[in-house]
C-alpha cells in the first residue's frame, strides 16, 4: 500500500464514480455497496479505547499490506489529517460523516480510482465500499465479494452461524450489507409525483435519503435509496429486490420526463434555461440554489438542450461546489458562507464557460 | 402631410427617442414636453359632438396641410385604426392612453422620427408633444415653441389675457405645459433610497409616475417626473425648476451607483448577471419580470459589464416587450398572456443573442 495523503491527487482528477459512464446513468448517478465486518478478538470501535483501536489498524494494515489486490491502494491515517482534507473524502462520498467527525484512531484504505475504499474503525472495524457510476449493483456485488473473500482469508472476521456477521449496531447484523443507488429525479418532481414515489419506496421497506443524508431530500432532486434490513435473506436477494425497485423508479422518471417534454416542453425549457442562466452569470450563489439549478441543468443535458455541455461536467459540479472542495480550490480556509457563495459562483462560471448552449445556434 | 398609417414603417426602425443619444442618457432616458391648446370657436373635445370633433380635425388639418414644417408628417385618423395599431402608438409613447381608449373622432399628426406629434381631440383640441433622448428640456422647449408659433399663426387659439391658454381641464390652464423626464434609477433602488427621493420630489410640487402612469412606479425602476402646476409662472421657469431637480436626482443616482460599485461590487455584478442570465435563457417571462431584469441589465451596461451590448438595445427592449409590439412581431393577436410570455422570452433571447458578455472574456 502507498502510505500517503491522496487528497491533492484526487483533486486533480475527476471524481471516479462521476467520470465514468454506467447503465442508466442519466437517472441512476451511482450505485454503492458497503459491507460491515469486525475482527474477532477486539472490542467494537464504539467501545474500544485508543490502544485497542490502534491495534485494530495495525492488524488490518499488516494483513492488506502484503496482498496483491491492495498494492496500489492508499493507506491514510485520519487523525493527523487537516479538517479540510477529511471533508474532501466526505464530499467525494468515500467516507461517512460519522467517520470524520466522531472517530479517533481511524484509517482509510483507498483505491486510486476512488471506487474502492475501506474505513477502518468507523462504527465497525471494517466498512468496505465499492461505488460505480450508473445502475450496477450486481457487478459491484460480484466485485466487492471478492474483496470480502480476500479480507476474510487474511483476517479473523466475527461471524456467528446463526446471526451471520456480527456488527456494532444491530441494524447491520446478518449480511452487514448496505446497498444504495443515488437517483436524480427532476421529472417526478416537476410532475408533482415525487412524494408519492417516495412513500411507495418506504412501504417496500427501503430507505430514502437526500444526497447529504436524512433531511436533505429536497436538495437537487437527488435521492439515495437503500436497503434497510440486513438479516434473514441472502445478499443477492437484498440486491435484486433493490435493483427491481430502482428500475421501476427509473421507468417512472423517464415516463415523467417524456410526458413533460410532450405536453409542457416550453415549461421545461424555461426551467432549464433559467437555471443555466443563473449558474452561468451569477456572482454569488448559495449551496441550495446551486444544487437545485444543477438539477435542472442535468435534466436539460439529458433532454439534449446543450450541445457542448456533457453530463459529467454537471455531475462533477455537484461535488466541486461543496464547501471543502471550494476551499481547496481557493487554497485557503473560508469561514464566511457569503464569501464561499462568491467563490462557488466564480467556479461554476469558469466551468460552464465555453460550453455552448445548443439553443444559441438553433432558436 | 402624408395620409397614411405609419405603424408598419415605425416597427421597422428603432424607436426615435431611444435610438438617439442625449446628455445624461445613462440615467435620463428621455425628455418630453406636451402643450395643450384649443381652438376658439369649438367646444372642448370632452363635450363636443362627433360633428364638431370632425370639424376640428378638418380645420387643423387644413391649417397644417399647407405648412412647410408639416410636409413630411403623417396624418392618421384614429377611428378606423385596428386596436393593435393604436396600442403601438401608446407603447411608443406617441399618444396618451386616454387618446386611444376614450376618444372618438380623433387624429394624429406624427413626424417621421417620432419626436414630434400632435394629438387632435384628446382632452384638448391640440396636444402637441416633442420627445428626445437624454435630458434636453430646454432644447425641446425651444423647438416646440416654434411649432407652437406656427400653429398659433395658422389657427385661432383660445387665450385669455389673464388666465393664459384655456384648456379642457383646469389643471392645465395657463401655460398648458407638461414637461417630463423619464429617469432610470436602479442605483437609488438598490441603495434603498428611492422612496426618500420620491418623497422629496413630491414635496417640491412635482409629480412622480411609473413608466405606464400612476401605480406602476416599481416597474423597471423607471420614473417619469413632471411639473404639476401650469399657472402663475412662465414656461421657462417651470422647465428650469424641473431641470434643476432632475439634475439633483441624477447626481444622487450616480452617487449611489458609485458607492455600490465601490462597496458592494459583487452584489451588483450578481444582480446584473442573474438578470442577464434569465433574459438570455428563459423560455417564458412575464412583463414585470422582464422590466425589472432589463433595468438590471441597463445598469450593467452602464457599469461596463458588457462589451458588445449597447444601451440602445436594452432601451429598445423596454418598448418591444410590450403586448402590442409583441403581437405585431408575431403577426397576430395573442390573447393568452402565457403565450405572450413565451413570445416575449423568444424575442429577448433573439435580441440578446450574439451580444457577448464582457465577463465571458475576463473573469
Amino acid at each position: 500500500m502507498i502510505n500517503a495523503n491522496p487528497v491533492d491527487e484526487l483533486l486533480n482528477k475527476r471524481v471516479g464514480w462521476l467520470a465514468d459512464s454506467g447503465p442508466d446513468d442519466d437517472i441512476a448517478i451511482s450505485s454503492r455497496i458497503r459491507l460491515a465486518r469486525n475482527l474477532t478478538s477486539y472490542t467494537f470501535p464504539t467501545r474500544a479505547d485508543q490502544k485497542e483501536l490502534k491495534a485494530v489498524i495495525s492488524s488490518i494494515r499488516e494483513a492488506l499490506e502484503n496482498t496483491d489486490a491492495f498494492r496500489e491502494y492508499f493507506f491514510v491515517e485520519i487523525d493527523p489529517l487537516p479538517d479540510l482534507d477529511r471533508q474532501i473524502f466526505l464530499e467525494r462520498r468515500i467516507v461517512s460523516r460519522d467517520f470524520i467527525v466522531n472517530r479517533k484512531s481511524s484509517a482509510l484504505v483507498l483505491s486510486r480510482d476512488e471506487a474502492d475504499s475501506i474505513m477502518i474503525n468507523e462504527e465497525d472495524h471494517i466498512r468496505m465500499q465499492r461505488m460505480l457510476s450508473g445502475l450496477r449493483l450486481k457487478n459491484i456485488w460480484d466485485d466487492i465479494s471478492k474483496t470480502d473473500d480476500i479480507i476474510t482469508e487474511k483476517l479473523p472476521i466475527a461471524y456467528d452461524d446463526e446471526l451471520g456477521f456480527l456488527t456494532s449496531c444491530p441494524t447491520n447484523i446478518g449480511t452487514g450489507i448496505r446497498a444504495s443507488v443515488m437517483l436524480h429525479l427532476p421529472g417526478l418532481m416537476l410532475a408533482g409525483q415525487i412524494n408519492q414515489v417516495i412513500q411507495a419506496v418506504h412501504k417496500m421497506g427501503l430507505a430514502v435519503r437526500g444526497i447529504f443524508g436524512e433531511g436533505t431530500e429536497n436538495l437537487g432532486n437527488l435521492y439515495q435509496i437503500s436497503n434497510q434490513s440486513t438479516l434473514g435473506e441472502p445478499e443477492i436477494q437484498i440486491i435484486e429486490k433493490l435493483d427491481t425497485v430502482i428500475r421501476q423508479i427509473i421507468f417512472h422518471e423517464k415516463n415523467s420526463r417524456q410526458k413533460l417534454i410532450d405536453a409542457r416542453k416550453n415549461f421545461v425549457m424555461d426551467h432549464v434555461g433559467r437555471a443555466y442562466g443563473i449558474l452561468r452569470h451569477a456572482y454569488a450563489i448559495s449551496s441550495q440554489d446551486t444544487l437545485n439549478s444543477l438539477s435542472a441543468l442535468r435534466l436539460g443535458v439529458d433532454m439534449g438542450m446543450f450541445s457542448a455541455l456533457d453530463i459529467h461536467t454537471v455531475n462533477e459540479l455537484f461535488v466541486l461546489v461543496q464547501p471543502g472542495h471550494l476551499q481547496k480550490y481557493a487554497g485557503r480556509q473560508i469561514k464566511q458562507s457569503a464569501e464561499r457563495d462568491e467563490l462557488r459562483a466564480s467556479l461554476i462560471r469558469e466551468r460552464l464557460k465555453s460550453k455552448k448552449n445548443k439553443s444559441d445556434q438553433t432558436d
Side-chain angles (χ1 to χ4, degrees), chain A:
Chain A
M1 288 193 294
I2 304 154
N3 207 348
N5 177 353
V7 165
D8 288 337
E9 185 178 321
L10 296 186
L11 290 172
N12 281 323
K13 54 181 194 180
R14 275 200 158 157
V15 178
W17 50 277
L18 288 178
D20 210 13
S21 294
D24 287 310
D25 67 0
D26 50 340
I27 292 165
I29 295 186
S30 63
S31 305
R32 178 171 72 183
I33 293 179
R34 275 186 181 163
L35 296 178
R37 300 289 182 258
N38 287 279
L39 305 187
T40 47
S41 36
Y42 298 95
T43 322
F44 288 134
T46 41
R47 295 174 170 229
D49 61 19
Q50 298 299 306
K51 201 178 145 195
E52 202 174 6
L53 290 169
K54 283 191 196 334
V56 168
I57 295 178
S58 297
S59 142
I60 295 173
R61 183 180 188 171
E62 206 171 298
L64 303 185
E65 192 84 83
N66 302 310
T67 312
D68 269 3
F70 294 98
R71 194 176 307 278
E72 292 292 309
Y73 281 53
F74 290 104
F75 178 86
V76 196
E77 295 223 50
I78 298 299
D79 289 6
L81 278 194
D83 284 350
L84 220 44
D85 287 9
R86 298 174 190 222
Q87 208 171 334
I88 296 299
F89 291 132
L90 176 64
E91 292 176 357
R92 291 171 99 88
R93 306 177 60 223
I94 293 166
V95 303
S96 67
R97 183 171 298 277
D98 177 60
F99 185 67
I100 60 157
V101 170
N102 303 328
R103 301 298 149 200
K104 289 264 175 199
S105 302
S106 53
L108 172 70
V109 176
L110 177 66
S111 71
R112 271 218 137 98
D113 65 359
E114 300 177 56
D116 295 281
S117 58
I118 300 171
M119 289 181 273
I120 302 175
N121 291 337
E122 204 243 29
E123 200 179 82
D124 295 295
H125 296 139
I126 292 174
R127 279 273 176 100
M128 64 187 102
Q129 83 168 32
R130 179 165 171 81
M131 175 161 52
L132 297 175
S133 59
L135 178 57
R136 288 198 267 182
L137 287 173
K138 287 174 193 170
N139 291 350
I140 293 173
W141 170 242
D142 289 344
D143 299 338
I144 205 169
S145 295
K146 283 172 199 147
T147 311
D148 189 32
D149 289 346
I150 294 168
I151 287 172
T152 311
E153 203 175 285
K154 298 274 176 182
L155 288 160
I157 299 298
Y159 185 85
D160 178 278
D161 280 341
E162 205 153 313
L163 291 170
F165 292 105
L166 302 179
T167 55
S168 171
C169 176
T171 58
N172 294 315
I173 215 162
T175 56
I177 194 174
R178 185 76 63 191
S180 70
V181 178
M182 197 206 282
L183 295 174
H184 183 225
L185 306 175
L188 287 165
M189 184 277 290
L190 289 174
Q193 294 176 339
I194 188 67
N195 290 330
Q196 210 174 315
V197 168
I198 290 175
Q199 276 166 27
V201 173
H202 275 301
K203 274 187 192 155
M204 281 180 279
L206 298 171
V208 183
R209 295 191 182 84
I211 182 180
F212 301 119
E214 282 175 83
T216 65
E217 282 76 10
N218 288 323
L219 281 178
N221 302 304
L222 294 170
Y223 296 87
Q224 206 163 234
I225 296 174
S226 61
N227 65 302
Q228 300 223 61
S229 87
T230 55
L231 189 67
E233 41 183 354
E235 291 90 341
I236 192 65
Q237 209 166 302
I238 291 172
I239 288 166
E240 274 173 0
K241 181 176 159 192
L242 180 63
D243 190 73
T244 304
V245 173
I246 297 292
R247 284 178 199 281
Q248 282 170 12
I249 300 173
I250 290 175
F251 173 80
H252 286 303
E253 170 66 19
K254 283 194 171 155
N255 216 2
S256 293
R257 291 187 188 183
Q258 195 54 54
K259 275 189 190 154
L260 281 165
I261 291 165
D262 292 346
R264 302 173 70 198
K265 186 166 185 198
N266 209 82
F267 164 77
V268 182
M269 302 263 287
D270 186 57
H271 177 73
V272 173
R274 282 170 181 256
Y276 175 76
I278 284 172
L279 291 168
R280 182 68 195 78
H281 298 287
Y283 279 78
I285 189 162
S286 72
S287 190
Q288 187 173 340
D289 204 359
T290 301
L291 292 174
N292 291 330
S293 298
L294 284 175
S295 169
L297 190 57
R298 200 175 189 281
L299 177 65
V301 170
D302 184 50
M303 279 169 55
M305 272 180 76
F306 302 91
S307 56
L309 186 60
D310 64 298
I311 204 137
H312 296 121
T313 301
V314 183
N315 283 350
E316 197 180 30
L317 277 173
F318 275 108
V319 173
L320 299 184
V321 297
Q322 298 175 89
H325 277 79
L326 275 183
Q327 291 172 77
K328 275 285 182 185
Y329 166 83
R332 64 197 164 88
Q333 277 222 319
I334 302 170
K335 305 226 165 177
Q336 295 273 338
S337 76
E339 201 185 336
R340 287 202 303 268
D341 288 354
E342 294 183 8
L343 190 65
R344 184 177 293 114
S346 156
L347 171 90
I348 296 167
R349 286 202 312 280
E350 188 74 31
R351 294 271 164 161
L352 294 182
K353 198 159 72 182
S354 83
K355 307 281 181 184
K356 273 216 181 84
N357 187 336
K358 198 182 221 170
S359 66
D360 284 2
Q361 293 129 32
T362 57
D363 72 355

